[in-house]
Amino acid sequence: MNLFRYRPGPGMMVSAAFIGPGTVTACTLAGANFGFALLWALLFATLTTVVLQSFAVRIALVTRLGLAEAMLATITSPLFRALAALLLISALVLGNAAYEAGNMSGAALGLEAVNGGSLAFGTAPVIITIALFASAMLVFSKPKWIENILILLVLLMSAAFLLTFILIRPDLGALLKGFVPRIPDGGLMTAIALIGTTIVPYNLFLHAASVRERWDAEQLPEAQLDNSISIGIGGLVSMTILATAAASLFGSGKAIENAVDMAQQLTPLFGSLATVTLGAGLFAAGLTSAITAPLATGYIVQEIFKTSGSRRPFQIGALIVIATGTFASLIGYRPVELIFIAQIANGLLLPIVAIFLIRLANNKQLLGQHANGLGANILGGIILLVTCALGFRLIARALGFWP
């Protein structure tokens, strides 16, 4: 395929999904607390995401099934099939509902940063507007429209963060040293958090469902190119956020808890433009994730509760996530209990999905000549070990056994 004829596709939706306010905050804290030292973790996470998403794309295009459909179809026991469906729904519906609250609040905080730290009309109108916009997009819009709007927002977000990075002008030599794997004192949990905020289970289902609506098996190389470029752009954005925080805040002794704190610290150092661009990027990150989280949930519910010709399960699943997230955001509720459940569910889901994914990618009856080769299985095995360790960490932390 001619690289110069490349057009952004569903892979951009994955970037839109994993670069949310949580990722922006994690990257900000990593840079502010450890400088450039953990850039390698983001590079590893990005490459891992490319590999896992490529498996999902290949399975979806060759089998013409959604990932949830393909997984459940390989389970012969009705009991285990029901348990697997319950796990998917609990992890994605409850987890994404919790994250949706953070996405909406993060978008509102981004506007506050752009406006100098406050909004005259408060954050509630912003949250309600985002909820209505996301609902209208998912209920009334065609999938292609959603994809195009998310591509536009990802490009806006990328431009905002890259411009902030250029304004800060970090030291290139120090930046390159950050790609040499090492864990600074106290940095293990942050390194794992950077990996965990990039490798998101629901993105596998989102990507598999969306590629089927654009390509078929003959266009697999085009779909894989889109996967690599789009997720590569997302990883680059994450790295620029970390590098911006490292260059401007590392060693300053200033207390930084999130990206808005960083935006406020940039104003006296680099002028209002840096604050505006960072705030715009945070707003775009919150808005894109506020669309993709319920979108992925809708796809999963639709695949599990298949109804011929009806989008009702999709709409119900998506709207539940939006409504729950909106409610939590409006009352200022920190959804600790929901996030507690989400961490356990996602901690279980990530390695389980990775196992199913590798198993499906090796199924020659389903994929024929497109089944995994030795190289892909070696990469898959390494990734499986990492996801199992990450899943264990998420569960242990949620249960209070890991600080």
Side-chain angles (χ1 to χ4, degrees), residues 22 29 102 198 201 234 247 379 394:
L29 294 176
T198 306
L379 286 174
L394 288 171

Side-chain angles (χ1 to χ4, degrees), residues 215-240:
W215 292 305
D216 54 35
E218 286 71 29
Q219 297 168 299
L220 183 58
E222 183 179 350
Q224 297 292 28
L225 178 65
D226 172 62
N227 173 60
S228 299
I229 292 177
S230 298
I231 294 174
I233 290 173
L236 180 62
V237 169
S238 296
M239 293 175 206
T240 60

Side-chain angles (χ1 to χ4, degrees), residues 67 143 291:
L67 197 55
I291 296 172

Side-chain angles (χ1 to χ4, degrees), residues 165-191:
F165 172 80
I166 292 170
L167 289 171
I168 301 303
R169 291 183 296 179
D171 179 77
L172 183 59
L175 186 150
L176 292 176
K177 289 180 181 178
F179 291 105
V180 178
R182 67 181 183 88
I183 300 178
D185 292 341
L188 177 60
M189 289 299 99
T190 303

